[in-house]
PDB file of all heavy atoms in Angstrom:
ATOM      1  N   LEU U1028       3.987  -4.716  10.685  1.00 96.00           N
ATOM      2  CA  LEU U1028       3.921  -3.476   9.921  1.00 96.00           C
ATOM      3  C   LEU U1028       2.531  -3.296   9.329  1.00 96.00           C
ATOM      4  O   LEU U1028       1.970  -2.197   9.363  1.00 96.00           O
ATOM      5  CB  LEU U1028       4.968  -3.481   8.804  1.00 96.00           C
ATOM      6  CG  LEU U1028       4.930  -2.318   7.820  1.00 96.00           C
ATOM      7  CD1 LEU U1028       5.133  -0.989   8.523  1.00 96.00           C
ATOM      8  CD2 LEU U1028       5.965  -2.532   6.721  1.00 96.00           C
ATOM      9  N   ALA U1029       1.945  -4.362   8.810  1.00 97.00           N
ATOM     10  CA  ALA U1029       0.600  -4.277   8.232  1.00 97.00           C
ATOM     11  C   ALA U1029      -0.417  -3.842   9.292  1.00 97.00           C
ATOM     12  O   ALA U1029      -1.286  -3.004   9.018  1.00 97.00           O
ATOM     13  CB  ALA U1029       0.195  -5.610   7.620  1.00 97.00           C
ATOM     14  N   HIS U1030      -0.296  -4.385  10.485  1.00 97.00           N
ATOM     15  CA  HIS U1030      -1.205  -3.982  11.565  1.00 97.00           C
ATOM     16  C   HIS U1030      -1.013  -2.507  11.917  1.00 97.00           C
ATOM     17  O   HIS U1030      -1.982  -1.788  12.165  1.00 97.00           O
ATOM     18  CB  HIS U1030      -1.013  -4.863  12.795  1.00 97.00           C
ATOM     19  CG  HIS U1030      -1.613  -6.223  12.653  1.00 97.00           C
ATOM     20  ND1 HIS U1030      -2.968  -6.448  12.553  1.00 97.00           N
ATOM     21  CD2 HIS U1030      -1.033  -7.447  12.562  1.00 97.00           C
ATOM     22  CE1 HIS U1030      -3.198  -7.737  12.429  1.00 97.00           C
ATOM     23  NE2 HIS U1030      -2.031  -8.367  12.419  1.00 97.00           N
ATOM     24  N   ASP U1031       0.240  -2.043  11.908  1.00 95.00           N
ATOM     25  CA  ASP U1031       0.512  -0.634  12.192  1.00 95.00           C
ATOM     26  C   ASP U1031      -0.086   0.264  11.107  1.00 95.00           C
ATOM     27  O   ASP U1031      -0.722   1.272  11.405  1.00 95.00           O
ATOM     28  CB  ASP U1031       2.024  -0.388  12.304  1.00 95.00           C
ATOM     29  CG  ASP U1031       2.345   1.060  12.602  1.00 95.00           C
ATOM     30  OD1 ASP U1031       2.002   1.536  13.706  1.00 95.00           O
ATOM     31  OD2 ASP U1031       2.928   1.728  11.715  1.00 95.00           O
ATOM     32  N   ILE U1032       0.097  -0.110   9.856  1.00 97.00           N
ATOM     33  CA  ILE U1032      -0.453   0.673   8.748  1.00 97.00           C
ATOM     34  C   ILE U1032      -1.973   0.740   8.851  1.00 97.00           C
ATOM     35  O   ILE U1032      -2.585   1.778   8.589  1.00 97.00           O
ATOM     36  CB  ILE U1032      -0.002   0.090   7.390  1.00 97.00           C
ATOM     37  CG1 ILE U1032       1.506   0.319   7.200  1.00 97.00           C
ATOM     38  CG2 ILE U1032      -0.787   0.710   6.236  1.00 97.00           C
ATOM     39  CD1 ILE U1032       2.104  -0.433   6.021  1.00 97.00           C
ATOM     40  N   ALA U1033      -2.595  -0.358   9.256  1.00 96.00           N
ATOM     41  CA  ALA U1033      -4.062  -0.415   9.353  1.00 96.00           C
ATOM     42  C   ALA U1033      -4.622   0.583  10.364  1.00 96.00           C
ATOM     43  O   ALA U1033      -5.791   0.950  10.283  1.00 96.00           O
ATOM     44  CB  ALA U1033      -4.510  -1.828   9.706  1.00 96.00           C
ATOM     45  N   THR U1034      -3.788   1.043  11.283  1.00 96.00           N
ATOM     46  CA  THR U1034      -4.256   2.004  12.295  1.00 96.00           C
ATOM     47  C   THR U1034      -3.931   3.442  11.913  1.00 96.00           C
ATOM     48  O   THR U1034      -4.173   4.358  12.709  1.00 96.00           O
ATOM     49  CB  THR U1034      -3.633   1.700  13.676  1.00 96.00           C
ATOM     50  OG1 THR U1034      -2.221   1.901  13.611  1.00 96.00           O
ATOM     51  CG2 THR U1034      -3.935   0.277  14.118  1.00 96.00           C
ATOM     52  N   GLU U1035      -3.395   3.649  10.730  1.00 97.00           N
ATOM     53  CA  GLU U1035      -2.995   4.992  10.304  1.00 97.00           C
ATOM     54  C   GLU U1035      -4.222   5.900  10.207  1.00 97.00           C
ATOM     55  O   GLU U1035      -5.205   5.565   9.540  1.00 97.00           O
ATOM     56  CB  GLU U1035      -2.287   4.909   8.948  1.00 97.00           C
ATOM     57  CG  GLU U1035      -1.566   6.153   8.546  1.00 97.00           C
ATOM     58  CD  GLU U1035      -0.412   6.494   9.464  1.00 97.00           C
ATOM     59  OE1 GLU U1035       0.264   5.588   9.982  1.00 97.00           O
ATOM     60  OE2 GLU U1035      -0.180   7.705   9.664  1.00 97.00           O
ATOM     61  N   PRO U1036      -4.172   7.069  10.858  1.00 96.00           N
ATOM     62  CA  PRO U1036      -5.313   7.995  10.792  1.00 96.00           C
ATOM     63  C   PRO U1036      -5.644   8.392   9.356  1.00 96.00           C
ATOM     64  O   PRO U1036      -4.763   8.752   8.573  1.00 96.00           O
ATOM     65  CB  PRO U1036      -4.829   9.205  11.589  1.00 96.00           C
ATOM     66  CG  PRO U1036      -3.781   8.670  12.510  1.00 96.00           C
ATOM     67  CD  PRO U1036      -3.106   7.568  11.730  1.00 96.00           C
ATOM     68  N   GLY U1037      -6.909   8.274   8.998  1.00 95.00           N
ATOM     69  CA  GLY U1037      -7.383   8.684   7.683  1.00 95.00           C
ATOM     70  C   GLY U1037      -7.265   7.632   6.605  1.00 95.00           C
ATOM     71  O   GLY U1037      -7.730   7.842   5.480  1.00 95.00           O
ATOM     72  N   LEU U1038      -6.651   6.477   6.907  1.00 96.00           N
ATOM     73  CA  LEU U1038      -6.494   5.429   5.902  1.00 96.00           C
ATOM     74  C   LEU U1038      -7.790   4.644   5.748  1.00 96.00           C
ATOM     75  O   LEU U1038      -8.351   4.151   6.728  1.00 96.00           O
ATOM     76  CB  LEU U1038      -5.366   4.470   6.292  1.00 96.00           C
ATOM     77  CG  LEU U1038      -5.130   3.295   5.335  1.00 96.00           C
ATOM     78  CD1 LEU U1038      -4.572   3.781   4.004  1.00 96.00           C
ATOM     79  CD2 LEU U1038      -4.190   2.283   5.972  1.00 96.00           C
ATOM     80  N   ALA U1039      -8.261   4.505   4.505  1.00 93.00           N
ATOM     81  CA  ALA U1039      -9.428   3.676   4.214  1.00 93.00           C
ATOM     82  C   ALA U1039      -8.993   2.242   3.918  1.00 93.00           C
ATOM     83  O   ALA U1039      -9.584   1.298   4.405  1.00 93.00           O
ATOM     84  CB  ALA U1039     -10.210   4.242   3.032  1.00 93.00           C
ATOM     85  N   TRP U1040      -7.942   2.086   3.091  1.00 93.00           N
ATOM     86  CA  TRP U1040      -7.403   0.775   2.780  1.00 93.00           C
ATOM     87  C   TRP U1040      -6.046   0.896   2.097  1.00 93.00           C
ATOM     88  O   TRP U1040      -5.656   1.966   1.660  1.00 93.00           O
ATOM     89  CB  TRP U1040      -8.339  -0.073   1.919  1.00 93.00           C
ATOM     90  CG  TRP U1040      -8.904   0.572   0.676  1.00 93.00           C
ATOM     91  CD1 TRP U1040     -10.171   1.018   0.505  1.00 93.00           C
ATOM     92  CD2 TRP U1040      -8.226   0.823  -0.576  1.00 93.00           C
ATOM     93  NE1 TRP U1040     -10.321   1.536  -0.753  1.00 93.00           N
ATOM     94  CE2 TRP U1040      -9.152   1.417  -1.442  1.00 93.00           C
ATOM     95  CE3 TRP U1040      -6.935   0.598  -1.039  1.00 93.00           C
ATOM     96  CZ2 TRP U1040      -8.823   1.793  -2.744  1.00 93.00           C
ATOM     97  CZ3 TRP U1040      -6.596   0.972  -2.333  1.00 93.00           C
ATOM     98  CH2 TRP U1040      -7.538   1.560  -3.170  1.00 93.00           C
ATOM     99  N   LYS U1041      -5.359  -0.254   2.036  1.00 96.00           N
ATOM    100  CA  LYS U1041      -4.093  -0.363   1.308  1.00 96.00           C
ATOM    101  C   LYS U1041      -4.112  -1.662   0.525  1.00 96.00           C
ATOM    102  O   LYS U1041      -4.577  -2.692   1.019  1.00 96.00           O
ATOM    103  CB  LYS U1041      -2.894  -0.402   2.253  1.00 96.00           C
ATOM    104  CG  LYS U1041      -1.592  -0.644   1.480  1.00 96.00           C
ATOM    105  CD  LYS U1041      -0.398  -0.899   2.345  1.00 96.00           C
ATOM    106  CE  LYS U1041       0.808  -1.160   1.410  1.00 96.00           C
ATOM    107  NZ  LYS U1041       2.028  -1.405   2.130  1.00 96.00           N
ATOM    108  N   ILE U1042      -3.589  -1.621  -0.687  1.00 95.00           N
ATOM    109  CA  ILE U1042      -3.350  -2.820  -1.484  1.00 95.00           C
ATOM    110  C   ILE U1042      -1.832  -2.957  -1.630  1.00 95.00           C
ATOM    111  O   ILE U1042      -1.153  -2.011  -2.036  1.00 95.00           O
ATOM    112  CB  ILE U1042      -4.029  -2.733  -2.867  1.00 95.00           C
ATOM    113  CG1 ILE U1042      -5.550  -2.676  -2.694  1.00 95.00           C
ATOM    114  CG2 ILE U1042      -3.614  -3.904  -3.748  1.00 95.00           C
ATOM    115  CD1 ILE U1042      -6.317  -2.479  -3.979  1.00 95.00           C
ATOM    116  N   TRP U1043      -1.327  -4.123  -1.266  1.00 97.00           N
ATOM    117  CA  TRP U1043       0.107  -4.414  -1.357  1.00 97.00           C
ATOM    118  C   TRP U1043       0.431  -4.893  -2.770  1.00 97.00           C
ATOM    119  O   TRP U1043      -0.274  -5.743  -3.324  1.00 97.00           O
ATOM    120  CB  TRP U1043       0.490  -5.492  -0.348  1.00 97.00           C
ATOM    121  CG  TRP U1043       0.302  -5.064   1.073  1.00 97.00           C
ATOM    122  CD1 TRP U1043      -0.891  -4.851   1.704  1.00 97.00           C
ATOM    123  CD2 TRP U1043       1.307  -4.784   2.023  1.00 97.00           C
ATOM    124  NE1 TRP U1043      -0.677  -4.463   3.001  1.00 97.00           N
ATOM    125  CE2 TRP U1043       0.675  -4.407   3.236  1.00 97.00           C
ATOM    126  CE3 TRP U1043       2.703  -4.810   1.981  1.00 97.00           C
ATOM    127  CZ2 TRP U1043       1.376  -4.071   4.383  1.00 97.00           C
ATOM    128  CZ3 TRP U1043       3.401  -4.483   3.128  1.00 97.00           C
ATOM    129  CH2 TRP U1043       2.747  -4.113   4.308  1.00 97.00           C
ATOM    130  N   LEU U1044       1.520  -4.369  -3.348  1.00 98.00           N
ATOM    131  CA  LEU U1044       1.903  -4.694  -4.723  1.00 98.00           C
ATOM    132  C   LEU U1044       3.259  -5.395  -4.763  1.00 98.00           C
ATOM    133  O   LEU U1044       4.172  -5.009  -4.032  1.00 98.00           O
ATOM    134  CB  LEU U1044       1.981  -3.418  -5.559  1.00 98.00           C
ATOM    135  CG  LEU U1044       0.729  -2.534  -5.571  1.00 98.00           C
ATOM    136  CD1 LEU U1044       1.005  -1.240  -6.312  1.00 98.00           C
ATOM    137  CD2 LEU U1044      -0.441  -3.283  -6.191  1.00 98.00           C
ATOM    138  N   GLU U1045       3.373  -6.405  -5.618  1.00 98.00           N
ATOM    139  CA  GLU U1045       4.631  -7.120  -5.817  1.00 98.00           C
ATOM    140  C   GLU U1045       4.864  -7.338  -7.305  1.00 98.00           C
ATOM    141  O   GLU U1045       3.953  -7.760  -8.015  1.00 98.00           O
ATOM    142  CB  GLU U1045       4.601  -8.498  -5.144  1.00 98.00           C
ATOM    143  CG  GLU U1045       4.430  -8.469  -3.654  1.00 98.00           C
ATOM    144  CD  GLU U1045       4.463  -9.877  -3.046  1.00 98.00           C
ATOM    145  OE1 GLU U1045       4.720 -10.864  -3.773  1.00 98.00           O
ATOM    146  OE2 GLU U1045       4.210  -9.974  -1.834  1.00 98.00           O
ATOM    147  N   ASP U1046       6.070  -7.078  -7.761  1.00 98.00           N
ATOM    148  CA  ASP U1046       6.489  -7.404  -9.127  1.00 98.00           C
ATOM    149  C   ASP U1046       7.835  -8.096  -9.006  1.00 98.00           C
ATOM    150  O   ASP U1046       8.888  -7.462  -9.069  1.00 98.00           O
ATOM    151  CB  ASP U1046       6.577  -6.140  -9.979  1.00 98.00           C
ATOM    152  CG  ASP U1046       6.913  -6.435 -11.436  1.00 98.00           C
ATOM    153  OD1 ASP U1046       7.340  -7.576 -11.753  1.00 98.00           O
ATOM    154  OD2 ASP U1046       6.755  -5.520 -12.265  1.00 98.00           O
ATOM    155  N   ARG U1047       7.787  -9.391  -8.796  1.00 97.00           N
ATOM    156  CA  ARG U1047       9.020 -10.172  -8.585  1.00 97.00           C
ATOM    157  C   ARG U1047       9.956 -10.064  -9.775  1.00 97.00           C
ATOM    158  O   ARG U1047      11.162  -9.947  -9.608  1.00 97.00           O
ATOM    159  CB  ARG U1047       8.688 -11.631  -8.337  1.00 97.00           C
ATOM    160  CG  ARG U1047       7.941 -11.872  -7.074  1.00 97.00           C
ATOM    161  CD  ARG U1047       7.658 -13.351  -6.898  1.00 97.00           C
ATOM    162  NE  ARG U1047       6.567 -13.545  -5.953  1.00 97.00           N
ATOM    163  CZ  ARG U1047       6.310 -14.667  -5.363  1.00 97.00           C
ATOM    164  NH1 ARG U1047       7.036 -15.723  -5.608  1.00 97.00           N
ATOM    165  NH2 ARG U1047       5.298 -14.766  -4.526  1.00 97.00           N
ATOM    166  N   ALA U1048       9.406 -10.150 -10.982  1.00 97.00           N
ATOM    167  CA  ALA U1048      10.235 -10.135 -12.183  1.00 97.00           C
ATOM    168  C   ALA U1048      11.045  -8.852 -12.288  1.00 97.00           C
ATOM    169  O   ALA U1048      12.213  -8.874 -12.672  1.00 97.00           O
ATOM    170  CB  ALA U1048       9.363 -10.321 -13.426  1.00 97.00           C
ATOM    171  N   ALA U1049      10.444  -7.727 -11.938  1.00 97.00           N
ATOM    172  CA  ALA U1049      11.139  -6.439 -12.011  1.00 97.00           C
ATOM    173  C   ALA U1049      11.870  -6.117 -10.715  1.00 97.00           C
ATOM    174  O   ALA U1049      12.659  -5.169 -10.673  1.00 97.00           O
ATOM    175  CB  ALA U1049      10.144  -5.329 -12.326  1.00 97.00           C
ATOM    176  N   GLY U1050      11.601  -6.876  -9.646  1.00 97.00           N
ATOM    177  CA  GLY U1050      12.238  -6.601  -8.361  1.00 97.00           C
ATOM    178  C   GLY U1050      11.716  -5.323  -7.722  1.00 97.00           C
ATOM    179  O   GLY U1050      12.481  -4.543  -7.168  1.00 97.00           O
ATOM    180  N   HIS U1051      10.412  -5.107  -7.829  1.00 97.00           N
ATOM    181  CA  HIS U1051       9.793  -3.916  -7.250  1.00 97.00           C
ATOM    182  C   HIS U1051       8.619  -4.320  -6.366  1.00 97.00           C
ATOM    183  O   HIS U1051       7.968  -5.334  -6.600  1.00 97.00           O
ATOM    184  CB  HIS U1051       9.275  -2.971  -8.341  1.00 97.00           C
ATOM    185  CG  HIS U1051      10.332  -2.093  -8.901  1.00 97.00           C
ATOM    186  ND1 HIS U1051      11.153  -2.498  -9.925  1.00 97.00           N
ATOM    187  CD2 HIS U1051      10.714  -0.848  -8.575  1.00 97.00           C
ATOM    188  CE1 HIS U1051      11.999  -1.521 -10.208  1.00 97.00           C
ATOM    189  NE2 HIS U1051      11.754  -0.502  -9.409  1.00 97.00           N
ATOM    190  N   ALA U1052       8.371  -3.496  -5.381  1.00 98.00           N
ATOM    191  CA  ALA U1052       7.200  -3.645  -4.520  1.00 98.00           C
ATOM    192  C   ALA U1052       6.607  -2.264  -4.329  1.00 98.00           C
ATOM    193  O   ALA U1052       7.190  -1.245  -4.723  1.00 98.00           O
ATOM    194  CB  ALA U1052       7.581  -4.259  -3.175  1.00 98.00           C
ATOM    195  N   GLY U1053       5.445  -2.222  -3.698  1.00 97.00           N
ATOM    196  CA  GLY U1053       4.818  -0.937  -3.437  1.00 97.00           C
ATOM    197  C   GLY U1053       3.440  -1.128  -2.853  1.00 97.00           C
ATOM    198  O   GLY U1053       3.096  -2.210  -2.371  1.00 97.00           O
TER     199      GLY U1053
END
Side-chain angles (χ1 to χ4, degrees):
L1028 174 60
H1030 284 294
D1031 180 66
I1032 291 169
T1034 65
E1035 193 65 35
L1038 178 69
W1040 50 255
K1041 175 189 178 179
I1042 296 175
W1043 296 70
L1044 305 174
E1045 298 182 5
D1046 184 346
R1047 294 180 200 197
H1051 277 85

